[in-house]
Every structure is written in structure tokens, then in C-alpha cells.
Amino acid sequence: MVFAADTDIWRFQPHAEVWLILLAAIAMAWYAARIIAPKAAPAGEAPFARYHKLAFVGAMVLLWVASDWPMHDISEEYLYSVHMIQHLLITFVVPPLLWAAMPEWLARLVLSGDGSVGVWVRRLARPVLAGVLFNFMVAVSHIPWVVNTSVESGALHYFVHLLLFGSAMVMWLPVCGPIPELRMGAPGKMIYLFLMSVVPTVPGAFLTFAQGAVYSVYDHDVRMWGIGIRADQQAAGLIMKLVGGMYLWAWIGVLFFRWAGVQQRANTQMRVVTTVPSGPIAADTRVPATSGSNGSHTTNGSR
């Protein structure tokens, strides 16, 4: 079946629901900074560092780019490859920025073990469960029926994106979350992210090598930039496998070099501490010779 698509590709379509979500997020950030911080932030230090603010601004900008016109409209009506870029932004880029924007004191309030939200998030953030949950959602979001129906239904579309985003937030918590005890050690993070980079290659390969149209909703006569349906699917698969994989491997590389640097400094310090002193310092530690009053050391004793 060939679906119809609007021929006016670049028509301006602002999405009010996206702006409402962004304004709500900004309002919550303002409330945290103005109302909660004076009461709950540690005394003697700034409640929000400069990098917290920069990370929040970056997250809001990228969330807007991924969710509003024109990326949203191109990804939902014309090119599935742009849809894949949209998913990478809301699952791989925005969540780490949001965790980086949250100071530890605020995270402990939101994810307190005494509250129901904190209890559930802490349970879901266990690495194995978080990884399985995220990859399950990624797999479900690529089922043809889900893709075709979500494009035709705005409510289902935003529900799928909400589940993807929520599972991605949980997935990144053991890697770069603001609460230290919920994070894994560097070797565990590297193994974890390696596994996250392997699983998406399955749907990525399926899209890359598919012969016909996998998602009928994108099979229409309006071809943006002259990109055919097969070329679009192949590009989507390569974006998922290569771009997403390279992004996660960049994280692994940074974690490895940081971990190696820490290990090298620790080994250097250990060698300095355990080295045996020599030279004048060692000479000063010798036991003084006994005095000449001892008969065994005198030269004038009777024979």
C-alpha cells in the first residue's frame, strides 16, 4: 500500500505540545533554583555550577530540535533516516545532558529511597534491568505496526517517544547519574556501553539489507531530496549501527583513558611509597658501633 504525503514539505508547523513540555521543564528548573535550592542545597557552596546550567540549556535546545519543526515533520512524514536521528538525540544525547544538569543534592531529593518515585527508579536503574528495558523499547519502537500506527496517530507517537526517553534516562543512570552509589565503576561502564552498542545492530542490519519497504507509511511518491525508500531505509540502518555505535564507543574511549590515567597515577604513587631509601638516608639508619670499653674490640688487652 502506498500512503499519501503532503507535497508542501517545508510548510511551517510549530507543535504546541513540544513548547508546553519545554516550558514545563524550564519552570521546574526555575522552581528548583529559586525555591528548593535555598532550603535544601548544601551550605557554603553554589547550588548549581556553571556546567549544570550549560548542560540544561544544551538538553533543552536539542530536545526542541528533535521534537519540533522541521525535524519532527520530516521524520514522521518523509524520511525514516531523519526519524532515526531524532531517536538518537532523545535517547543517547539528551538524557546524559539532563543527568549532568542535576546536582547531587537535587538528585537525592528527587530519587530519595523514601519516596515511591525514587524507589522505582532505583530498582529500574540496576544495570541489567536498565539495559534490557531500554533495548526492549528500542526493539518495540522498530516494529512495523508500531511505526506505521504512530505516524498516523499523534497520541501513540508521543507515548512511544515518552517510553523511549524514560527508558533511556534509566539506562544512562548507572553511567553518568548524579548519585555516586548508583553508578558503576569504570570497567563496568565500558562493558555496559559495549553491550548497548551491540544490540541495536540487529534492527539496524535488518533495515540496511531489506529489499522492500519495511514501513509502508514512508512508501509514497513524495520523495524528499530525491531519496528513494530503499536508500532511506539503508541510511536509517547505517545511522543506527554506525553513528549510534561510534557515539557509544566515544564514551567508552573517554572512560578508558580516564580509568587508565587514574590507574597510572595510583601505580606511580605506590612505587614512590614502597621504594626503599638509599644513600645518606639509609646510612643514617644504621645501628651505631659499640664503644671501645668492650673487651672484644680493644687492642691492648692482656694475652
Side-chain angles (χ1 to χ4, degrees), residues 181-301:
E181 62 265 26
L182 297 182
R183 296 195 299 263
M184 296 182 290
K189 292 178 183 179
M190 289 185 279
I191 296 172
Y192 180 77
L193 290 177
F194 168 74
L195 294 174
M196 295 303 104
S197 70
V198 170
V199 176
T201 60
V202 177
F206 179 70
L207 286 170
T208 303
F209 297 108
Q211 296 300 315
V214 177
Y215 305 115
S216 56
V217 73
Y218 290 96
D219 188 14
H220 47 67
D221 294 331
V222 182
R223 307 311 312 172
M224 190 172 190
W225 298 316
I227 301 176
I229 182 66
R230 285 190 61 189
D232 180 37
Q233 288 177 173
Q234 290 171 349
L238 291 175
I239 289 170
M240 189 174 190
K241 289 197 301 182
L242 297 182
V243 178
M246 289 173 61
Y247 174 81
L248 292 178
W249 273 93
W251 270 84
I252 294 172
V254 171
L255 289 170
F256 173 78
F257 285 112
R258 286 183 177 177
W259 174 76
V262 171
Q263 297 302 311
Q264 184 177 12
R265 288 191 293 272
N267 291 336
T268 302
Q269 178 119 18
M270 185 178 296
R271 285 197 299 269
V272 170
V273 171
T274 58
T275 299
V276 178
S278 60
I281 298 178
D284 291 339
T285 62
R286 292 180 298 177
V287 178
T290 56
S291 63
S293 60
N294 191 327
S296 63
H297 289 83
T298 60
T299 60
N300 296 323

Side-chain angles (χ1 to χ4, degrees), residues 51-68:
Y51 74 89
H52 291 133
K53 301 172 184 177
L54 291 176
F56 180 77
V57 172
M60 293 298 100
V61 170
L62 289 177
L63 187 59
W64 171 73
V65 169
S67 304
D68 203 8

Side-chain angles (χ1 to χ4, degrees), residues 120-193:
W120 277 104
V121 171
R122 286 169 180 264
R123 288 177 180 174
L124 294 174
R126 293 168 183 169
V128 174
L129 183 56
V132 170
L133 177 64
F134 173 71
N135 283 286
F136 174 76
M137 284 308 309
V138 170
V140 168
S141 68
H142 288 89
I143 295 174
W145 180 86
V146 174
V147 173
N148 292 330
T149 308
S150 65
V151 170
E152 297 296 322
S153 170
L156 179 61
H157 165 75
Y158 281 106
F159 181 67
V160 170
H161 275 204
L162 180 62
L163 291 179
L164 268 176
F165 176 73
S167 63
M169 290 291 291
V170 172
M171 185 273 284
W172 282 101
L173 190 55
V175 177
C176 56
I179 301 178
E181 62 265 26
L182 297 182
R183 296 195 299 263
M184 296 182 290
K189 292 178 183 179
M190 289 185 279
I191 296 172
Y192 180 77
L193 290 177

